[in-house]
Amino acid sequence: MAFRSGFVSIIGRPNAGKSTLLNALVGEKLAIVTRKPQTTRNRIQGIINVERKTKRPAGQIVLVDTPGVHKPINSLNRRMMKEVYDALEGCDLLLLIADATARFGAGDKFVLDIVKKGGQPCFLLLNKIDVLDKQRLLTLIAEYKERHEFAEVIPISAMKREGLDALLASVMKALPEGPRYFPKDQITDQPERFLVAELIREQVLLATEQE
C-alpha cells in the first residue's frame, strides 16, 4: 500500500472543540484550551504519523487548528479570520467540528458557507456526544445533511476520545498518495518558545475565568 499524506484543516465556531480535538489526535498538548471564545489566535499544525496496519496504509496527517470562525469586528478579529482562510487554501480535507449540544444558528450557517465556498471534501464532526441523547444526535445529523453534502458524518467526543479511531481511519482513506512532509519524530511546526508562551497565556486566561 502506498504512503498517504496531506493537510487537514479543522474549522468551526468558537468553543466547538477544535483545539481539544487537535490535542487528542496528536496525543500532546499543542493548543491551549479555555472556555473563553477565540482562545486560539494562530494556526497551529499538529503532525500525526500513522503506522501501516492490516488494510490501512502508512501515512502522515498534518492537522491545522484554526481560530474559531466569527464575523470580524476589529483588527484582531480580521487577522484571526485571515488565519482561517489561509488554512483552507491548499488543504486536502476539511474537518468541520460542531457542538452537538447547541442548536444550529446564524454562526453555524456562516461557518458552513465558508466550507461550501472552499470546495474541499469535508467531514462533519458532531462533538460532545457524551452529553447528548441519541434522538437529538440523529435529528442534528439529518439537519446538517439537508444543508450540505458531507463526505462523512462522524459523531465524536474530543474530550472523551470517543470516535477518534474511526475518524483517523476515515481521514487516512480520504488523503491522496504523497510524501512525508515532516520528520517522523516531529509533532508540530511551532517552536518550543511559542508553545511555552501559549501555556502561560492559558494559565492567565484560566485565572480570569475564576475571578
Side-chain angles (χ1 to χ4, degrees):
M1 290 183 286
F3 191 88
R4 292 177 178 270
S5 63
F7 290 79
V8 180
S9 293
I10 306 172
I11 185 174
R13 295 184 64 188
N15 289 340
K18 297 179 300 299
S19 297
T20 301
L21 177 63
L22 176 77
N23 293 338
L25 290 175
V26 176
E28 296 285 347
K29 181 69 170 286
L30 300 181
I32 64 176
V33 179
T34 74
R35 291 193 298 269
K36 183 178 176 63
Q38 300 162 13
T39 296
T40 301
R41 295 182 177 179
N42 303 279
R43 276 178 294 161
I44 300 175
Q45 292 185 352
I47 302 154
I48 304 172
N49 292 290
V50 180
E51 299 297 330
R52 190 182 307 279
K53 290 185 178 180
T54 304
K55 296 183 180 180
R56 189 180 76 183
Q60 186 175 78
I61 303 169
V62 184
L63 290 172
V64 185
D65 186 23
T66 62
V69 172
H70 57 283
K71 292 186 177 180
I73 57 176
N74 56 42
S75 59
L76 175 60
N77 294 151
R78 286 191 290 272
R79 183 179 69 80
M80 291 166 68
M81 282 304 297
K82 183 178 185 303
E83 292 281 344
V84 174
Y85 290 118
D86 288 348
L88 302 188
E89 292 186 7
C91 74
D92 299 284
L93 177 68
L94 288 180
L95 301 181
L96 170 57
I97 184 169
D99 182 349
T101 66
R103 292 186 177 277
F104 188 96
D108 299 287
K109 184 179 183 301
F110 184 59
V111 180
L112 195 52
D113 287 342
I114 293 175
V115 169
K116 291 177 180 180
K117 291 176 183 178
Q120 299 95 335
C122 181
F123 288 1
L124 172 63
L125 310 182
L126 293 173
N127 190 28
K128 306 181 184 180
I129 61 169
D130 54 304
V131 292
L132 193 71
D133 66 83
K134 184 177 181 181
Q135 187 54 51
R136 169 59 185 155
L137 177 61
L138 293 175
T139 300
L140 193 58
I141 290 173
E143 184 175 6
Y144 267 98
K145 282 186 173 181
E146 288 180 358
R147 297 176 181 274
H148 185 62
E149 185 175 344
F150 294 96
E152 290 205 35
V153 177
I154 305 176
I156 67 167
S157 170
M159 183 172 291
K160 301 290 186 179
R161 299 187 60 85
E162 295 178 18
L164 299 193
D165 288 341
L167 171 59
L168 279 178
S170 294
V171 168
M172 281 300 299
K173 289 179 182 178
L175 291 182
E177 295 182 11
R180 187 184 297 277
Y181 292 101
F182 294 92
K184 194 172 182 179
D185 60 348
Q186 187 172 344
I187 62 171
T188 183
D189 65 325
Q190 296 294 338
E192 184 176 354
R193 183 174 182 178
F194 171 84
L195 297 177
V196 171
E198 284 291 275
L199 288 174
I200 294 172
R201 186 165 69 89
E202 179 183 50
Q203 293 305 310
V204 172
L205 291 172
L206 290 173
T208 59
E209 288 178 2
Q210 298 172 0
E211 291 179 353

